[in-house]
Amino acid sequence: MSPSPLIVLSHVQVAPLLAEYPQPEVLTSETTAVVSLDLNRTQTEIPLTPTGLQLPDGQQLSWAQLGEIAASENSCFHVRDNTAVKINTFSEQTQRAYSLYPTHSAPTMLVSGITMHRIVDSDPHQDTREKIKAAGRVAGQVLDTTMGLGYTAIQAALREGTTAVHTIELDTAVVEMCRLNPWSQELFTHPKITRHLGHCWDIIEDEFVDDQFSTIIHDPPMLNMAGELYSADFYRELYRVLKPRGRLFHYIGNPDKKSGATVTKGTIKRLKEIGFGRVTPQPRAFGVLAIK
């Protein structure tokens, strides 16, 4: 028997439903509504009853439970055993709190309260597309240095010219969060994607050979969370595994802010010092592009 489809809801899906049916006690057995059960990836027509929402796998959520989801604007909920459970966790490995944060597109991840994607004047899906676009021609073997929710790896794998995508994640808690995110499922099913668990510096140093990758997408946490991933020594490892004329896109942060401008300036300086040729700012994607 195949497992039941993943059902995940947030206020984005539930609040409009409550607004449309403020008096559920008057609903009839023929009342239905079109709702996304996977954070706006697809739409499903489901029955509504005076007692709650009837789900395709036989589960039911009461109107009170739906009200709790609608009131929680910072959380996504996994529905299992007729209960909606917030998708969050604390990692003993990294001492960080993680939660899945809803948007009107793909969700982002909060790491100790900090969003891992742009959600102002953008959304996580568009943010990822901008990074891939900034890298230019994405083909051959691709390295995604920091997996997170896996959006970069998935978008790279969907490119026709890509032959393989290697993506690295430090924290097992993040991997488990991906398993509960409808937008991350291709991480576990796409044949081009290989996941690696460990510190990306160690994985790159121990498992990848010289000139292996045509494209590298380096999207590290903020400088104060992972300063070693902005160092010249780490950039030398990226340079080593990148093919001649290969492309490195390095996400940094908003160049219009003082902190982003300062980090961008230092990053460009270090990349040039270790041998990268053209190193050009990509302000639309909040990063820089470097060519070997």
Side-chain angles (χ1 to χ4, degrees), residues 83-127:
T83 304
V85 180
K86 284 186 180 180
I87 301 176
N88 57 25
T89 189
F90 180 79
S91 170
E92 295 292 343
Q93 181 181 354
T94 60
Q95 296 295 298
R96 292 173 181 168
Y98 298 102
S99 60
L100 202 62
Y101 182 91
T103 77
H104 287 272
S105 175
T108 188
M109 183 166 58
L110 291 181
V111 181
S112 300
I114 299 171
T115 59
M116 291 294 101
H117 298 88
R118 294 161 59 191
I119 58 173
V120 177
D121 299 326
S122 186
D123 62 63
H125 185 64
Q126 181 61 31
D127 184 32

Side-chain angles (χ1 to χ4, degrees), residues 143-146 168 199-205 216-220 226-241 248 250 270-271 274 276:
L143 172 61
D144 170 32
T145 62
T146 52
I168 306 169
H199 194 289
C200 65
W201 195 331
D202 295 334
I203 298 293
I204 292 168
E205 193 173 54
I216 298 176
I217 310 292
H218 182 43
D219 183 8
E228 74 278 9
L229 301 186
Y230 294 78
S231 70
D233 286 342
F234 179 70
Y235 293 160
R236 286 190 185 94
E237 278 300 299
L238 297 183
Y239 187 90
R240 177 184 67 82
V241 299
L248 163 68
H250 186 330
R270 289 189 294 278
L271 289 172
I274 67 165
F276 281 99

